[in-house]
Amino acid sequence: MERKIPIFWVRGLPVILDLHLAPLYGVKTKRLNEQVRRNTERFPGDFVFRLIKTEWGELVANCDQFSNILHSSVLPTAFTEQGALMASTVLRSAQAIQMSIYIVRAFVRMREAMSANEMILRRLAEIDKTLLVHDDGLRDLYQKLLPLLESGPEPNRRKIGFGNEE
């Protein structure tokens, strides 16, 4: 059975939090963060960053899975795709190797889904433009037919029949 890796969007980047990444690598969160601190040259700011309180509060508000660790004194660390892969190189568990492959696949699937959504949105935009062109054409046709549909004033006709003409 395949595990689901929770990937969140923080600072416009898809990330995995340390508390989700560590179990995937078969280590404790404390050990994962310790290895990141010991190998800072391998983890630049675009690979790993610590969440600020407002970001953490926003994640907690949107995801009830964090309610049990809401009041933790340590803010979580966020790993981008590259950071998550780099973590597998500094951790020495066999599970880390397997999970690095798994994480790559998860991010690839996410990119494919996003790409499919972008293609659908582009196609919808094209359809919308086509409909606007047709809408203009129909509006033009309606304006031209409208005078033909409106009844004009009754023509003066001679009345037929008996009547009291004065």
Side-chain angles (χ1 to χ4, degrees), residues 66-137:
F66 298 124
S67 58
N68 59 341
I69 55 172
L70 168 64
H71 302 292
S72 172
S73 61
V74 179
L75 293 170
T77 302
F79 289 80
T80 63
E81 178 182 2
Q82 297 85 1
L85 292 174
M86 188 60 73
S88 70
T89 66
V90 296
L91 296 170
R92 303 232 186 269
S93 69
Q95 195 172 341
I97 296 167
Q98 293 172 340
M99 291 317 298
S100 65
I101 294 167
Y102 183 80
I103 289 168
V104 169
R105 289 181 178 150
F107 275 101
V108 166
R109 268 186 258 130
M110 182 191 64
R111 264 196 300 278
E112 287 171 350
M114 288 172 55
S115 175
N117 287 344
E118 286 177 26
M119 287 174 29
I120 291 169
L121 289 174
R122 266 194 303 258
R123 182 65 182 127
L124 284 174
E126 290 173 15
I127 291 170
D128 191 41
K129 286 179 187 175
T130 304
L131 288 175
L132 287 175
V133 168
H134 290 299
D135 191 39
D136 288 342

Side-chain angles (χ1 to χ4, degrees), residues 24-79:
L24 294 175
Y25 286 148
V27 297
K28 294 190 180 288
T29 306
K30 182 178 180 179
R31 173 84 171 120
L32 172 63
N33 287 323
E34 178 182 272
Q35 287 301 336
V36 170
R37 279 191 307 275
R38 288 182 178 174
N39 296 281
T40 54
E41 69 281 354
R42 291 179 183 243
F43 294 97
D46 58 331
F47 281 24
V48 175
F49 56 88
R50 177 94 45 199
L51 297 183
I52 57 174
K53 284 185 179 183
T54 55
E55 292 167 338
W56 179 232
E58 192 175 310
L59 274 180
V60 169
N62 293 330
C63 306
D64 59 346
Q65 64 179 295
F66 298 124
S67 58
N68 59 341
I69 55 172
L70 168 64
H71 302 292
S72 172
S73 61
V74 179
L75 293 170
T77 302
F79 289 80

